[in-house]
Amino acid sequence: MLNLLLSRLATAIPSIVGVVVVTFMLTRLLPGDPAAYFAGLAASPQAIAEIRTKLGLDKSLPEQFVAYVGDLLQGNLGNSLSTGQPVVTEIATRLPASAELTLFALIVAVGIAIPLGVLAAVKQGTWVDHLCRIVTTAGVSLPVFFTGLLLAYVFYYLLQWAPAPTGRLDIFLSPPPDITGFYLIDSLLSGNLETFWSALRQLALPAISMAIFSLAPLARMTRGSMLAVLGSDFIRTARASGLSPRTVVFTYAFRNAVLPVITTLGMVFSFLLGANVLVETVFAWPGIGLYAVNALITSDYAPVQGFVLTMAVLYVTLNLTIDFVYGLVDPRVRLES
Amino acid sequence: MMLPLLRHARYVLSENPVTGLAFGLFALFMVAALFGPLLAPYDPLQSNAAMALKPPSAAHWFGTDQLGRDIFSRVLVATRLDLTIAFASVILAFMLGALSGVAAGYFGGWTDQIVGRLADTIMAFPLFVLAMGIVAALGNEVINIVIATAIINFPLYARVARAEANVRREAGFVEAARLSGNGETRVLLGHILPNIMPIMMVQMSLTMGYAILNAAGLSFIGLGVRPPDAEWGIMVAEGANFIQSGEWWIALFPGAALMLAVFCFNLLGDGLRDIIDPRMRT
Amino acid sequence: MKRRTFFKSTAAAGAAMTAAPAIWSEAKAQARNETLLLITESPPNSMDIQGVGTNRPSYEVSWNTYDRLITYGVKKDANGNDHYDYTKLEPELATEWNVTPTSATFKLRKGAKFHDGTPITAKDVKWSFDRAVSVGGFPTFQMKAGSLEKPEQFVAVDDNTFRVDFVRADKLTMPDIGVPVPVIMNSELCKKHATAADPWAMEWLKNNLAAGGAYKIERWQPGQEVVFMRNDDWQNGPLPKIKRVIRRIIPSAGNRRALLERGDADISFDLPPKDFAELATSPKLTVIGTAIENAMVYLGMNVNEKPFNDVKVRQAVAWALPYQQIMDSVMFGRALPLFGGADNLSKGSYWPQKDGYKTDIAKAKALMAAAGYADGFETTLSFDLGMASTNEPLTILVQESLKQIGIKATINKIPGANWRGELLKKNLPMIANAFGGWLNYPEYFFFWCYHGQNAVFNTMGYKNPAMDALIDKARFTSGAEYDKLVKGFIDIAFEEVPRVPIFQPLLDVAMQKNITGYRYWFHRQLDYRQLVKS
C-alpha cells in the first residue's frame, strides 16, 4: 500500500514541476508591463524603470526563474501588487471560502444527482430515465455565469428570498472565530446560530448555481455503475432468493455501486474549484477564483502563479487521497499493486 | 459494415428518443450556422438609436439591444462564429491529441512518458484559468480562443487515443499489417488511427459542448471576440448589466441559444456513443 | 422536470429563509443605523498614499484616515450640491498660515493627536513632507507640480510652527499642499518600523496607519472590505456624524444597482450611466452628478503616422463622429457635450469647452477627398477593456459612423494591464480614452495632454512648438495676458484636432434618500467626514 502511494507520488512530482515551469513562462508571456501599470498615472520612464528593478523584472528570464524557485522552496509565493499582501496569506484566507462553497455545492449536487442516477438505472429505458438524462444534461449545458446572474435577479431582486449577494456573510455580522475557515462549521462550533443562518443563506444561491453544473457527471456515473451492479450475478442471486426489490436495490446494489461514484467526486470537486471563477464574480464571493482572475487581468504575476500552483497541488493531493481511500476500500486495487 | 451500423442506429434512436431530439436540434443549429446571415431579418451590426432597448415584439422577436440592434438577427448570425470556434478547437485538439496519443500508446517508452507528463501537467491546471492565461498571453483574438480551448481539451484526446492504441498494438490486424512489410509509421497512421476513429468521434462530440461553453466564458470576461461581431458569450455579458433594470431579453436569448447548443451537443455525444460503442453506454 | 426539481428545492430553501425568526436582528438594526455601507467595484491596495503603485481607492482610505495641513473650502454648485471650492483654502491641522513671496509659515493646532495619542508636532510634518519629496514615483511627482522639491524647503521652526521655503514663485504651491499626497504621519511610530534599506518605512505603512485623521481602520480584508471607525478624539475639523463606514467590494454592476434599489446599501459611485439615469428618477434614491473638472472622453489619433498626420483627415474624423448618438445611447444623458459650439474659437479661458464640430458627413467626405483619401483607408480603433461598459458601445457607434466616410476601423479591446504599456509605445493609430487632471487649470491639462514633452497622456504624440510656448508661459502668468495665452492654445487644439473631445463625464453617485452632505472632491473619492445618515 505504501509502495503504491509512493509510486503515485513520484509520478505526481513531474506534473507539479511542469506546472511551475509552464505558469512561470505563461505569466512572463503576458504582454502587460506590471511596472508601467503600477507606476501610476504620471509615471516617467525612469519611474517605471525603478519599479521594474524593484520587482526584479529587469533581470533575465532564467535569473527570474531561479529567484522564483528559490522563493518557492522557502514557501514564499511573493506579494500581490494589486492588494499589496503576501500571496500565501491571501490564498490561505481565500481558499476556505472557495472550498466551503464548492464542497457545499457538491453536497447539494450529490443529494440530487445520486437519487436521480439510481432512479434512472432502476427504470432504465423508461421516460424517467430519459427525463433524468435531459435534466442533468441541461444542467451541465448552462453557462454558470448566466445561471448565477439569473438566480440573483430572480431570488434576490424579484422574490427577495435570498439575501443580498455581498459575499459570505451579512455585511453587519462579524465572521465567526477562525477554526476551520468554514463559516458554517465555525459558527456552529462557537454556538452562534445567527451567523450560521446568515452564512447558509449566503451560500445557497452560488452553491445552487454550481450544483446544477455538476449534476450530470455524478448522475451519469451513478446510473452507469448501478446498471453494472444490477446486471451482476450476485444481484441476480439476491433477487432469485426472494429479497424485496427495495432491499436488493438499496442494501446490495447501491452499496456496491457507490464506490466508482466516490472517485468521480474528487474529480468533480477539483474541477469545480477551478471553474467557480465566474460564480464568485457574480456573488462577490471572496474566494481564490475571483482573486486569480483579477490578478490575471492586471498582469499581477505572483497571485496567478500562486493560485495555479495551489490548485495543482490540491488536485494531485486529492487524487492521491482518492487512490488511497479506494485502495483501502477495494481489496482488488491492493492486489494489483 | 454500413448497414448493420444504420440498423443499430435506428434501434438506438427508437430506444432513446432523446437522441432524436438532439439530432433535430443539431440540424436546426446547422441551418442557422450555414444560412444565418441570409435568414436574419435585420443587419446584425446596424445600430438604430430610435429602436434602442425595445422589448420583444412582432418586428423584433427577441427585442433590441442598447444600440438598437436586432437581437434575433444577432443570435442567429452568432451561431456560425460560435460553432466555428468550437469545431475548429475540437478538430485541433483531436489532431494534437489523437496523433500524440496514438504514438504514445503504440510505441510506449519515452514517447509515452512525454505525452503522459504533458497531459498530466495540463490536467493539473485549473482549466478555465489556463485558457484565460493562454488567450491573454497570445493576444486577444478569436484564433487564440481556438488554440486555448484546443490545448485544454488535448489531454482528453491523448488519453483516449493512447488507451485505444495500446489495446490494439498487438491485435491481429496490426500484426498482419506489420508482417506484410509496412513501416511503423504506416501501421500507425494507416491501420491503428482509422481503427480508433469512431471512438475519437464520440470524444469530439462530447467535448463540443464544453468547447462552446469555454469560448463563451472567455468572451464573457471580454477576451477574444472583437466588437461589433455577434457572439453569444459577449452578448450575455453585454446584457448582464441590463438585467436589474428590467431589460432581461438582452442576456436571456443569447444565453438560451448558448445553452441549447451545448445541450444539443452533449445529448448528441451520448447518442453517438450509444450507436458507435454500445459497451461504453452508461 | 428540470425546472420543477430545481424550483422545488430552491422554493423549499426560500420558504425556510423567509420563515426565519427576526428576533436576532435588533443589535444588527442598531449597527445599521450608525453605519454607512459604501459599495464599490475596486479595493484599495495600500494604506499609504505615498507607496509604490498605490491605486485610486487607496486615496480614499488615506483621505479619510490622515490629516493634511490645509484643505479646501466648500461652495454650492449650480444644482445646489456641495462642491469643494478651489479658491478657498481652509484649516485642517494648520489653524493659520502666513504666506510671503519666499515662504509659507503654518501654525499647527494645539492639542491635535495621532490615533495612538502622541501629540502632532512640526517635526512630524517635516518628516512627512520630506518623505513625500524623497520616495520617488507619483507622490514626489505630484509635489513637484507645486514646486515642492527637496527636504531643505521644509523647516520645523518649533513644535507648533512649520515653514515651507519656496524655490520659485508658483501659484500651485499652496493648492498642492491641500491635495491627498502630503499627509501628516506619526514620525516616531514610522521610524520604529524603518530599516536601513527602507528608511521611510514603506513596507510597514502599506498595511498600517500612522495617522491622526477623522477615521481609524477597524478591519481591513484585502480585496473584500475596509471597515472604518470614527476617531472620537479628532480635533482637526467638525466631528463626523457617521460612526462606522463599511467599504465593501461588489464586483458585479448589476448587483450594486440591486443593492441600492433594495435599500441594502447606502451609497455607490460605480454604476453604468444608464443605471444612474434611471435611478435619478427613482423616488427612493438621490443621484448627484457633478461634471468632472478638467476631464474629457475623447478620440485620439496618432499624428505621427499616416493617415492621421494629415490635419484634414483628423478634421474629417471630427466631423464624422456620431456625437449625439453617443450622448443618448451610450451615456444616457449623463455627460456634458463638448461638441456643437458655434465655431472652433475658444469662448473663454476655461477648460474643457465645446468645440465647433458636429456630425456632418458631407463635410467630412469633402475633407477626406481633399486629403486624397476619397476611397478611405483601414485602421484600428483601440480602447481599454476595463472601460468596456461605455467604450464598447461608443467605439461601435464610431466605427459605424466612420464607415460612411470610407474609414474601415477594426475595434481592438486591450486588457487593462496592457493598456498603459500600449499608450507608452504611442503607436496605436486611434483610441477612445478619458483623461482628467486634479488641479483645475487649463494649462495643467494641456501640459499633460498636448505639450511636446510628450507625456504618456499625450496619447497622440502631438508636438507643436507654438502650442508648447503658450502652455509654458501660461503657468507663470495671470490676468488678461493669461486669458489670451489659454485661448491661444485652445484654438490650436480645436483647429488641429489631434484629439477630438466628445463629452465631459459626470461623477455620478447614487445614495439612499436619508444620506445627505455629499461633497464633490477633485480627487473623485468619497469624503466620509461630511456625510449624514438620518
Side-chain angles (χ1 to χ4, degrees), chain C residues 112-345:
Chain C
K113 288 190 179 72
F114 287 113
H115 291 165
D116 66 359
T118 325
I120 307 178
T121 67
K123 77 179 177 352
D124 295 306
V125 180
K126 166 150 177 67
W127 192 85
S128 308
F129 273 62
D130 286 358
R131 186 177 191 264
V133 299
S134 306
V135 291
F138 165 69
T140 301
F141 187 83
Q142 179 65 39
M143 297 295 279
K144 246 183 214 155
S147 296
L148 299 162
E149 294 171 0
K150 45 184 195 260
E152 295 75 52
Q153 283 178 270
F154 313 123
V155 185
V157 180
D158 60 45
D159 268 3
N160 280 314
T161 318
F162 172 72
R163 193 181 75 231
V164 175
D165 293 330
F166 300 154
V167 288
R168 68 182 76 87
D170 185 338
K171 63 184 166 200
L172 295 185
T173 300
M174 287 302 286
D176 208 27
I177 292 175
V179 301
V181 170
V183 293
I184 310 305
M185 293 179 164
N186 186 337
S187 62
E188 286 310 313
L189 186 60
C190 294
K191 279 180 200 158
K192 265 186 226 154
H193 297 277
T195 60
D198 180 17
W200 299 110
M202 300 292 276
E203 274 307 309
W204 187 77
L205 281 166
K206 196 162 76 180
N207 294 323
N208 296 280
L209 285 182
Y215 284 89
K216 299 175 181 178
I217 289 178
E218 180 184 310
R219 184 166 75 226
W220 187 27
Q221 289 176 290
Q224 298 170 46
E225 67 172 5
V226 185
V227 181
F228 298 87
M229 185 69 125
R230 185 175 67 194
N231 171 13
D232 287 332
D233 301 323
W234 192 57
Q235 305 201 7
N236 297 326
L239 194 67
K241 297 286 184 296
I242 300 207
K243 267 196 181 162
R244 239 166 131 239
V245 178
I246 300 180
R247 188 185 194 284
R248 186 61 169 260
I249 305 304
I250 305 291
S252 146
N255 285 342
R256 289 195 291 272
R257 171 173 172 154
L259 284 161
L260 280 173
E261 278 194 291
R262 287 280 313 275
D264 288 331
D266 291 318
I267 186 164
S268 183
F269 283 93
D270 302 316
L271 293 176
K274 173 167 180 291
D275 287 337
F276 280 118
E278 287 175 2
L279 296 181
T281 63
S282 150
K284 285 184 289 186
L285 296 164
T286 311
V287 171
I288 297 177
T290 315
I292 302 177
E293 291 173 337
N294 227 359
M296 65 164 63
V297 169
Y298 67 94
L299 190 82
M301 287 164 278
N302 187 341
V303 299
N304 296 316
E305 309 233 351
K306 276 190 166 190
F308 298 116
N309 58 348
D310 188 332
V311 66
K312 290 202 189 71
V313 174
R314 302 200 297 266
Q315 287 171 342
V317 169
W319 284 110
L321 295 188
Y323 298 102
Q324 196 53 46
Q325 224 183 324
I326 292 174
M327 290 293 291
D328 298 340
S329 305
V330 179
M331 297 313 293
F332 296 89
R334 305 301 295 177
L336 303 178
L338 293 179
F339 54 88
D343 52 40
N344 268 336
L345 295 174

Side-chain angles (χ1 to χ4, degrees), chain A:
Chain A
M1 191 65 219
L2 193 66
N3 279 346
L4 173 75
L5 204 62
L6 283 179
S7 74
R8 285 287 159 84
L9 200 59
T11 55
I13 287 172
S15 322
I16 299 220
V17 172
V19 167
V20 171
V21 176
V22 173
T23 322
F24 179 82
M25 293 309 292
L26 201 64
T27 48
R28 291 319 190 264
L29 263 178
L30 292 179
D33 183 351
Y37 190 77
F38 289 99
L41 289 171
S44 60
Q46 302 95 283
I48 294 174
E50 270 168 37
I51 291 178
R52 201 168 283 137
T53 316
K54 203 174 160 208
L55 300 177
L57 296 173
D58 55 337
K59 299 203 189 87
S60 71
L61 271 188
E63 276 178 295
Q64 288 186 40
F65 185 68
V66 169
Y68 172 60
V69 173
D71 281 347
L72 211 57
L73 290 177
Q74 294 166 21
N76 177 8
L77 293 177
N79 271 329
S80 157
L81 294 168
S82 31
T83 62
Q85 302 299 307
V87 172
V88 177
T89 35
E90 292 263 82
I91 289 185
T93 51
R94 282 164 171 270
L95 191 59
S98 289
E100 183 175 35
L101 171 60
T102 311
L103 211 55
F104 190 73
L106 204 59
I107 291 171
V108 173
V110 166
I112 301 170
I114 289 193
L116 275 186
V118 172
L119 198 66
V122 174
K123 310 249 172 189
Q124 187 200 1
T126 65
W127 64 271
V128 179
D129 186 15
H130 297 313
L131 210 58
C132 286
R133 186 169 153 209
I134 293 184
V135 170
T136 55
T137 311
V140 80
S141 308
L142 276 170
V144 275
F145 53 87
F146 185 61
T147 335
L149 284 170
L150 221 58
L151 288 183
Y153 178 62
V154 173
F155 292 102
Y156 165 62
Y157 188 75
L158 288 184
L159 297 176
Q160 318 198 351
W161 288 356
T166 52
R168 299 178 77 184
L169 269 190
D170 184 290
I171 288 180
F172 297 96
L173 286 176
S174 323
D178 193 5
I179 304 167
T180 58
F182 286 21
Y183 282 6
L184 285 182
I185 298 175
D186 290 354
S187 58
L188 280 185
L189 287 179
S190 60
N192 191 336
L193 282 182
E194 184 177 9
T195 310
F196 175 79
W197 181 242
S198 170
L200 188 65
R201 280 165 51 100
Q202 296 285 347
L203 260 175
L205 286 192
I208 288 169
S209 315
M210 286 172 68
I212 291 176
F213 193 63
S214 50
L215 284 182
L218 294 174
R220 228 178 260 175
M221 199 65 200
T222 314
R223 179 178 177 277
S225 125
M226 272 302 275
L227 279 181
V229 176
L230 284 175
S232 65
D233 292 342
F234 82 95
I235 293 293
R236 244 175 269 151
T237 319
R239 281 219 173 100
S241 55
L243 289 172
S244 78
R246 222 187 146 76
T247 323
V248 172
V249 170
F250 290 102
T251 317
Y252 292 89
F254 182 68
R255 271 196 192 167
N256 284 286
V258 91
L259 208 60
V261 179
I262 292 176
T263 39
T264 344
L265 269 185
M267 289 288 294
V268 173
F269 178 73
S270 70
F271 175 71
L272 281 182
L273 199 53
N276 62 8
V277 168
L278 297 167
V279 176
E280 290 186 359
T281 314
V282 172
F283 292 97
W285 201 261
I288 51 172
L290 184 55
Y291 179 62
V293 171
N294 286 338
L296 200 61
I297 286 166
T298 50
S299 281
D300 194 352
Y301 298 160
V304 179
Q305 288 167 341
F307 168 74
V308 172
L309 203 62
T310 314
M311 295 300 296
V313 171
L314 211 66
Y315 174 84
V316 169
T317 326
L318 213 63
N319 279 332
L320 282 177
T321 321
I322 289 167
D323 280 354
F324 187 72
V325 171
Y326 207 88
L328 284 184
V329 179
D330 188 344
R332 278 169 303 176
V333 179
R334 238 176 312 180
L335 288 179
E336 276 166 30
S337 73

